[in-house]
């Protein structure tokens, strides 16, 4: 059986994109108790719509309730949990044992997924959490394949395991960090990380205040704690062989385009595991995820401690080779005209790439561009403006147009 693909959603647009591009499950948060305070997250109305949208498309909704709460954070928790059950949440992602206890007491039938914030790194811990009512464990990101294999083999067959396969890594143990709160007062374990590990650092000697020495020979200082991003799209067979239940993509604060390209690449690469190896397009899907904004990639800890290969000491900047220029909202087969919602400027005559959930991308030339009233235009410079354009290929809503960034 193929592992399930679990996608992030920081808002409704990203949730819809995750579902349309093939995620089996989507994880997202309400306005409280989630580990991504910087994201817009979901209002009550959005939670209800999002869960319903998942269910209408045969997908599961996993709601994050995984901060490390202080006493004040627990006010109204029982009411919130009852509300999530009422609107049909399929599972809750929880890290704190106290919150797990409240979930069991308040909504005992709810599935509990243990967050990676709980740092599960051995099978004794896995067995402990299973006895506490946890049905799935999101393993710590600091595990190798042999360690994961030992955990799975020495745990109850009913216990599910989930692993991150793509996205940002952390200098601390699966996000258990105090650096942000110490330096800025923003509490990473409550979802408000300032990402102080991504900043530039220099060395100061105690008796020479004001004299800054680069830790490495670089005119911009050094990024001593800057982790590379994880990308395991080339190695999905291993997770299937180990019996992992779900593969998780990181990135609730990333863009719609990131959600689409990551989910599309992993969905297709997963489905191709059922084909002979010679018929798989793994290299293409790796190239596709590289077309979304990312840091340098690594394999995390899956093949052992990455040491220097896991860190990038020269910059925390993202690599961006393509801009998404529009999302297709409709297509008229009779006229060959599509309606596009603009995301970045593009112009008449531009060579664009277009893709949908399945298959490889194809090139199109922007031609016969019109505004929403049918007036001829030479470019689309305004954010989210409606553009009509001829399209020689048949497309569907949520197909994406992108343009290579000029060097």
């Amino acid at each position: 059986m193929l592992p399930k693909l679990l996608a992030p959603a920081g808002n409704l647009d990203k949730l819809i994109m995750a579902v349309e591009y093939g995620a089996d499950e989507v994880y997202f948060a309400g306005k409280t108790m989630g580990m991504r305070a910087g994201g817009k997250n979901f209002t009550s109305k959005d939670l209800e719509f999002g869960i319903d949208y998942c269910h209408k498309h045969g997908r599961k909704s996993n709601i994050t309730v995984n901060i490390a709460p202080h006493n004040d954070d627990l006010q109204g928790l029982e009411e919130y949990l009852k509300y999530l059950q009422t609107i049909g949440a399929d599972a809750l992602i929880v890290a704190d044992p106290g919150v797990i206890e409240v979930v069991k007491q308040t909504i005992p039938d709810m599935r509990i997924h243990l967050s990676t914030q709980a740092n599960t790194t051995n099978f004794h811990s896995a067995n402990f959490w299973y006895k506490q009512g946890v049905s799935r464990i999101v393993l710590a990101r600091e595990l190798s394949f042999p360690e994961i294999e030992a955990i799975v083999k020495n745990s109850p067959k009913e216990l599910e395991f989930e692993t991150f396969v793509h996205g940002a890594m952390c200098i601390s143990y699966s996000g258990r960090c105090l650096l942000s709160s110490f330096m800025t007062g923003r509490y990473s374990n409550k979802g408000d990380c300032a990402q102080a590990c991504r900043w530039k650092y220099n060395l100061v000697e105690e008796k020479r205040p004001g004299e800054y020495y680069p830790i490495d020979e670089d005119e911009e200082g050094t990024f001593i704690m800057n982790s590379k991003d994880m990308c395991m799209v080339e190695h999905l067979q291993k997770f299937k062989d180990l019996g992992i239940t779900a593969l998780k993509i990181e990135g609730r604060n990333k863009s719609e385009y990131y959600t689409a390209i990551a989910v599309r690449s992993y969905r297709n690469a997963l489905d191709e595991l059922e084909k002979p190896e010679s018929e798989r397009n793994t290299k293409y899907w790796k190239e596709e995820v590289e077309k979304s904004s990312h840091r340098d990639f690594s394999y995390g800890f899956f093949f052992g401690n990455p040491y220097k290969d896991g860190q990038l000491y020269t910059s925390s900047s993202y690599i961006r080779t393509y801009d998404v220029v529009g999302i297709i909202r409709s297509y008229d087969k009779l006229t060959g005209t599509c309606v596009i919602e603009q995301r970045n400027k593009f112009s008449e005559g531009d060579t664009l790439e277009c893709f949908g959930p399945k298959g490889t991308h194809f090139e199109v030339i922007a031609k016969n561009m019109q505004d929403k009233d049918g007036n001829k235009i030479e470019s689309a410079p305004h954010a989210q403006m409606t553009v009509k354009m001829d399209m020689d290929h048949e497309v569907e809503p949520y197909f994406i147009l992108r343009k290579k960034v000029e060097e």
Side-chain angles (χ1 to χ4, degrees):
M1 181 181 294
L2 290 177
K4 303 295 184 183
L5 182 61
L6 186 57
N11 58 35
L12 267 181
D13 289 335
K14 297 172 190 177
L15 180 145
I16 291 170
M17 200 63 76
V19 170
E20 294 294 332
Y21 274 77
D24 297 298
E25 303 178 12
V26 185
Y27 67 101
F28 49 105
K31 291 293 186 180
T32 61
M33 298 294 289
M35 279 297 294
R36 287 296 180 272
K40 292 182 179 180
N41 292 320
F42 287 63
T43 64
S44 295
K45 183 178 179 181
D46 288 346
L47 280 172
E48 293 167 20
F49 181 92
I51 291 172
D52 185 59
Y53 193 88
C54 287
H55 291 169
K56 283 181 177 178
H57 290 79
R59 318 299 166 80
K60 296 286 183 67
S61 57
N62 301 338
I63 310 302
T64 61
V65 192
N66 62 336
I67 67 170
H70 290 220
N71 291 328
D72 291 345
D73 299 311
L74 298 174
Q75 294 180 12
L77 177 60
E78 289 89 345
E79 290 75 15
Y80 180 55
L81 295 176
K82 291 175 183 177
Y83 168 73
L84 292 177
Q85 183 180 53
T86 299
I87 63 175
D90 293 292
L92 303 184
I93 303 173
V94 187
D96 183 76
V99 175
I100 290 176
E101 193 64 22
V102 176
V103 172
K104 289 163 58 180
Q105 293 173 356
T106 307
I107 46 173
D109 295 331
M110 178 61 69
R111 282 177 57 86
I112 299 173
H113 294 182
L114 188 71
S115 172
T116 191
Q117 297 292 123
N119 312 135
T120 303
T121 56
N122 64 79
F123 59 83
H124 284 299
S125 292
N127 280 271
F128 168 83
W129 288 115
Y130 176 73
K131 292 174 184 176
Q132 308 311 307
V134 169
S135 55
R136 181 189 294 179
I137 292 176
V138 187
L139 292 169
R141 278 176 267 198
E142 294 76 22
L143 293 172
S144 66
F145 280 129
E147 289 176 305
I148 293 172
E149 183 177 17
I151 291 172
V152 174
K153 284 185 176 180
N154 290 282
S155 299
K157 286 184 171 53
E158 297 79 17
L159 180 59
E160 299 177 356
F161 290 99
E162 179 177 307
T163 61
F164 278 93
V165 292
H166 191 85
M169 294 287 285
C170 180
I171 190 65
S172 294
Y173 234 74
S174 288
R176 285 279 189 169
C177 181
L178 296 176
L179 187 64
S180 176
S181 56
F182 175 75
M183 298 184 74
T184 70
R186 290 173 54 180
Y187 292 87
S188 55
N189 296 315
K190 291 189 180 183
D192 197 24
C193 183
Q195 293 199 323
C197 57
R198 309 289 182 188
W199 298 349
K200 293 188 294 183
Y201 288 91
N202 286 272
L203 181 67
V204 178
E205 198 277 324
E206 180 183 6
K207 295 182 180 180
R208 293 177 175 83
E211 295 185 35
Y212 301 97
Y213 302 94
I215 298 173
D216 200 2
E217 292 296 329
D218 187 292
E219 67 274 8
E220 293 188 15
T222 186
F223 297 82
I224 58 174
M225 295 176 283
N226 185 52
S227 300
K228 293 181 181 179
D229 285 357
M230 179 197 297
C231 178
M232 295 297 291
V233 71
E234 302 166 285
H235 300 284
L236 301 185
Q237 182 68 53
K238 185 65 175 176
F239 296 98
K240 179 177 181 291
D241 294 343
L242 289 175
I244 297 299
T245 300
L247 305 181
K248 192 169 192 172
I249 296 169
E250 183 275 340
R252 275 187 280 159
N253 286 350
K254 304 259 179 90
S255 66
E256 285 178 80
Y257 173 61
Y258 169 89
T259 302
I261 202 74
V263 173
R264 169 180 179 257
S265 299
Y266 279 84
R267 173 77 277 151
N268 283 276
L270 267 176
D271 291 344
E272 287 179 1
L273 294 183
E274 298 185 325
K275 298 180 179 180
E277 192 168 347
S278 61
E279 296 179 20
R280 299 176 190 175
N281 213 0
T282 307
K283 182 181 177 182
Y284 174 79
W285 301 119
K286 173 67 181 301
E287 292 171 349
E288 281 295 287
V289 294
E290 290 175 343
K291 290 182 179 180
S292 66
S293 180
H294 64 281
R295 301 181 184 92
D296 282 356
F297 283 134
S298 79
Y299 298 135
F301 288 78
F302 290 111
F303 296 103
N305 193 317
Y307 297 105
K308 288 186 178 181
D309 288 338
Q311 300 293 112
L312 183 62
Y313 298 114
T314 56
S315 171
S316 64
S317 298
Y318 282 87
I319 301 167
R320 183 173 59 87
T321 56
Y322 281 80
D323 281 331
V324 55
V325 297
I327 298 175
I328 292 174
R329 295 306 183 194
S330 65
Y331 175 72
D332 189 328
K333 293 182 181 180
L334 295 177
T335 64
T337 302
C338 64
V339 176
I340 302 162
E341 187 176 286
Q342 186 262 26
R343 285 295 184 269
N344 281 289
K345 181 181 177 180
F346 66 103
S347 303
E348 184 88 6
D350 281 349
T351 299
L352 309 176
E353 290 183 2
C354 184
F355 66 87
K358 296 292 184 181
T360 57
H361 68 272
F362 52 88
E363 284 192 353
V364 298
I365 304 297
K367 60 183 180 180
N368 194 23
M369 291 175 59
Q370 304 171 41
D371 65 16
K372 62 183 176 63
D373 298 317
N375 300 310
K376 179 73 174 175
I377 56 175
E378 293 300 318
S379 67
H382 305 302
Q384 293 190 297
M385 69 180 290
T386 297
V387 180
K388 298 177 182 178
M389 189 178 82
D390 287 354
M391 179 69 71
D392 294 333
H393 295 73
E394 187 171 323
V395 293
E396 297 179 6
Y398 301 109
F399 274 45
I400 290 177
L401 292 164
R402 67 187 175 204
K403 180 183 178 183
K404 191 172 181 60
V405 174
E406 296 179 3
E407 295 183 2

